[in-house]
């Protein structure tokens, strides 16, 4: 049966194809699993060859992950710092050129719109990287200021190089001087007739770097790293392996561990920074930023309703999406991310709980796990304990200079 031309045109109109990233020609031949998904309109890999072995590449050698779909905004102009100080909860005036700042931004009610990293490339030149798109909000925040804001996601290709041998790979690739980079510091290096920006940052809690180049130089950067990594155990990885490492590091994901204010459909799903473990980011000494009054009022009046915690759970069955109970009876929260940690040798989870559970009441917490065993689900109630994040803390992440493993 063939479709008539009009109906076929209608179907084509509504079909949205995922775009390949600039690294796709190198990554695609390596993806044995053929497990792909869409991230910000681009095609990326869930896994490459084996997500467990890919995880161990992060923790034992080095791993290469394509972060090109990460949303990237360039913010420049005389009022760029002032604009970002109004937008974000941290004090941008304290951020020096050549530094990266983890931050978050909120709506006027103090609810988190997103979190991300802010790169200060110059006195009046910034790059903001995040999970979701926020251009209308950024432009509204900049109203009345001398600042230019544009999205550069497709123009800039990005790679995360993570793991104990990541510094050795960069050194072998000829990036002289990269050993001087301290955590959350960035610098530019020569590459393919232009520049590559390298920052000592990452989403794994391990020694690692992120590299950004114009999309036209993506393949030459991949080839340079891939050749240098041959003797250092370099492997390409997908998101599933990265996700395991980020849970161990205790990092949160927007619209995974919390619902962003712009995407929330229900009023009780939004969260303030204090409710998702980002209270330490909020610089209350800043005169003004979006959501400041609401955040301070919630703290003063004790109206914060939730808390995000790390849990250690009995047994070795991951408790992803499990309900958390107090006293085996009262439902008090939900687990958003969970794994059995090969490095910590613990069953760990990130959970959002209703206060005072998780903040004042820490005992007698239980997790309801449904484990599939030979086509039958077995309900298990396992004791959970609130523990500090990160679950895994590696000294090599912040070692100066980094070791050449």
């Amino acid at each position: 049966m063939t479709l008539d031309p009009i109906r076929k045109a209608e179907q084509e109109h509504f079909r949205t194809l995922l775009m390949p990233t600039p690294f796709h020609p190198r990554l695609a031949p390596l993806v044995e699993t053929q497990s792909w998904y869409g991230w910000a309109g681009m095609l990326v890999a869930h896994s490459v060859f084996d997500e467990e072995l890919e995880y161990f590449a992060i923790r034992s050698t080095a791993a290469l992950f394509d972060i090109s779909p990460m949303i990237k905004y360039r913010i420049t102009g005389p009022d760029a710092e002032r604009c970002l100080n109004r937008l974000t909860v941290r004090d941008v005036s304290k951020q020096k050129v050549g530094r990266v700042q983890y931050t978050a931004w909120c709506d006027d009610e103090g609810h988190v719109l997103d979190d991300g990293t802010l790169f200060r490339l110059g006195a009046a030149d910034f790059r903001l990287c995040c999970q979701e798109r926020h251009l209308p909000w950024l432009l509204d925040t900049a109203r009345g200021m001398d600042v230019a804001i544009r999205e550069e996601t497709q123009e800039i290709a990005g790679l995360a190089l993570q793991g104990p041998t990541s510094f050795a790979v960069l050194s072998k690739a000829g990036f002289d001087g990269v050993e001087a980079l301290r955590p959350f510091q960035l610098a530019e290096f020569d590459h393919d007739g232009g520049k590559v920006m390298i920052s000592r940052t990452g989403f794994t809690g391990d020694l690692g770097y992120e590299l950004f180049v114009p999309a036209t130089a993506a393949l030459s950067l991949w080839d340079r790293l891939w050749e240098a990594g041959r003797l250092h155990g370099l492997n390409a990885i997908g998101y599933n392996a990265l996700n395991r490492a980020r849970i161990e590091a205790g990092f949160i994901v927007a619209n995974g561990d919390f619902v962003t204010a712009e995407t929330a459909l229900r009023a009780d799903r939004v969260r303030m920074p204090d409710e998702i473990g980002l209270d330490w980011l909020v610089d209350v000494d800043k005169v003004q930023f979006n959501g400041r009054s609401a955040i301070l009022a919630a703290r003063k009046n004790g109206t914060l309703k939730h808390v995000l915690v790390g849990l250690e759970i009995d047994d070795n069955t991951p408790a992803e999406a499990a309900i958390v109970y107090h006293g085996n009876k009262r439902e008090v929260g939900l687990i958003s991310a969970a794994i059995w940690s090969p490095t910590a040798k613990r069953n760990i989870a990130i959970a959002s709980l209703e206060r005072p559970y998780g903040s004042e009441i820490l005992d007698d917490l239980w997790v309801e796990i449904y484990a599939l065993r030979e086509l039958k689900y077995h309900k298990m109630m396992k004791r959970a304990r609130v523990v500090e994040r990160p679950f895994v803390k590696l000294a090599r992440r912040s070692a100066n200079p980094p070791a050449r493993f």
Side-chain angles (χ1 to χ4, degrees), residues 207-221:
L207 174 62
Y209 302 83
E210 292 175 323
L211 299 88
F212 300 89
V213 291
T216 53
L219 297 183
S220 60
L221 177 62

Side-chain angles (χ1 to χ4, degrees), residues 12-13 17 26 76-77 102 111 149 198 231 235 290 292 309 338 404:
E12 290 294 332
H13 176 72
L17 299 178
R26 295 293 185 270
T76 57
Y102 175 54
H111 300 134
I149 302 175
I198 302 178
L231 298 180
N235 282 283
N290 295 340
R292 181 180 185 273
V309 299
R404 192 186 299 272

